[in-house]
Structures are given as C-alpha cells and as structure tokens.
Amino acid sequence: MEFMVSNTTCHMSISLDGFVAGPDQSREAPLGKRGQELHGWHIGDPRANDADKIANEWLMRPRGAYVMGRNMFGPIRGDWDEDWSGWWGPEPPYHAPVFVLTRHPHDPIPMDGGTTFYFVTDGFDAAYSAACQAAGDKGVDIAGGASTVRQALAAGVIDELTLDIAPVLLGSGERIFDGAVDFDFEPAEVLHSPLTTHIRYRRNS
C-alpha cells in the first residue's frame, strides 16, 4: 500500500531484556506485572532529572494523529460487550484523532479536548493511511502497544524511534522487536538519568 509522506514517531519505554510490558496484562495491571517499573521516569519517581523532563517533552509533543492497538485502548476482548472509552478519563492526552486496530467494529468515540477514537477493522495499513490523511503535515505517532509497533516496524513507516531503556529485567511479557530482521536506525540523541537511558533514533536515509 502507498502511504502519504508523514513524519512518523514512536516512543516506548523498554526493559533491558526487551519487554515494553510485563506478563499478565489486565484491567488492574494494564502494563502487566511490574510493567510500571519501566515508567518511573515520567510518572513521579523523585529520582527523575532534567533528562527525564526533556524526554517527557518528546513523549508529549503534539502530533496530528495516532495509531494504537486495541489492547492499548482497553482490556475488553472479543465483542464490545460494555462501554469503554480508554484508560485516560474524559480528556485523553492525544487531542487528535486516534485510530484503534480491532477486529470488531465500533462507532467513533469523541472525547473532550479534541480526541476522537476511530476503530479500524481492516488492518495496520488502513489505520496508518487514515492517520496520515488526518494528520496532514503534523505527523503521526505509533502509540503502541507491542503488536502495533511490530507492525509499524515491519511496514518501515517509523522515522523516529525513541526508547527509554530502564535498568529492569522483566523476564517475560510483550516485545516490539520479535520477528525483526534488521534495525535501520542510528542514534540521534542520548540522555540519561538514574531511572532510564533515553535514546532517540532516526531512520537511516
């Protein structure tokens, strides 16, 4: 499929052994067991420093549209058998269209602050194409989770990949590089704190 040209980013916290979420994800533990340990740098750990503040600015910079997987949107599996509008409350942090990959159709969900969740049933390429159309020149972000990032990497659409590498070993969970055969990026910027090493990679031209 041909895509519009769009500056596409992805920003993921990851363990030393390559997991972006721990095992046994659930409503009570959406990041899986110990998955929250990857995110202390931006969720209130007092050891966070100026490097973490800068990386958080990378994470929260406005984008024109987002693509995420259904597991990131919420814990419901199979048919939509209950009302659910995401983990983020009435005003999600996206403030832009969010295209959610799912096998089960759902009407769009408009939220406060400019976020609308759209549900795409015909695969990653269709969701990414719709996001590019919606974003225009404001860029697309691949918001996660692991499966969606794997599909974006396989499609070769990510221009900038930021990894927050936490000094944590999870042992199992969800990976983003399973099935990858190469890594066509080079480091553009590296920052560090006691909680993580932030590496911003750019795709090799």
Side-chain angles (χ1 to χ4, degrees):
M1 177 179 287
E2 293 293 326
F3 299 116
M4 287 180 58
V5 175
S6 182
N7 181 44
T8 299
T9 57
C10 179
H11 192 144
M12 302 291 288
S13 293
I14 190 168
S15 69
L16 280 176
D17 50 352
F19 297 100
V20 297
D24 302 325
Q25 291 171 272
S26 66
R27 190 182 301 258
E28 294 72 28
L31 297 172
K33 292 180 178 177
R34 298 183 57 217
Q36 192 162 327
E37 294 179 30
L38 307 180
H39 296 269
W41 64 274
H42 69 109
I43 58 172
D45 191 302
R47 294 172 293 168
N49 66 13
D50 287 346
D52 299 309
K53 180 180 178 181
I54 292 169
N56 192 55
E57 291 171 355
W58 298 345
L59 177 65
M60 300 304 293
R61 62 182 163 173
R63 308 296 288 153
Y66 297 80
V67 178
M68 72 171 57
R70 182 172 175 180
N71 289 4
M72 181 169 176
F73 176 72
I76 302 169
R77 304 293 181 261
D79 292 332
W80 299 97
D81 57 3
E82 63 175 283
D83 289 336
W84 180 266
S85 56
W87 303 102
W88 304 278
E91 186 173 346
Y94 302 104
H95 309 295
V98 179
F99 296 88
V100 181
L101 294 167
T102 178
R103 294 185 177 89
H104 299 271
H106 195 293
D107 291 337
I109 302 176
M111 306 291 290
D112 293 344
T115 298
T116 298
F117 293 106
Y118 296 94
F119 299 87
V120 181
T121 59
D122 43 0
F124 175 84
D125 287 357
Y128 180 71
S129 180
C132 289
Q133 293 283 347
D137 61 0
K138 296 179 180 178
V140 172
D141 188 74
I142 307 300
S147 175
T148 301
V149 176
R150 286 197 299 270
Q151 292 175 75
L153 289 167
V157 300
I158 297 175
D159 301 301
E160 180 181 298
L161 174 65
T162 300
L163 298 179
D164 312 297
I165 305 171
V168 172
L169 298 173
L170 292 182
S172 63
E174 296 289 332
R175 299 180 186 267
I176 59 172
F177 293 117
D178 283 358
V181 295
D182 57 30
F183 187 74
D184 192 27
F185 295 84
E186 61 184 24
E189 190 167 357
V190 181
L191 304 172
H192 65 87
S193 80
L195 299 166
T196 189
T197 301
H198 308 281
I199 306 179
R200 188 165 60 87
Y201 295 93
R202 293 290 299 178
R203 178 172 294 282
N204 290 317
S205 56

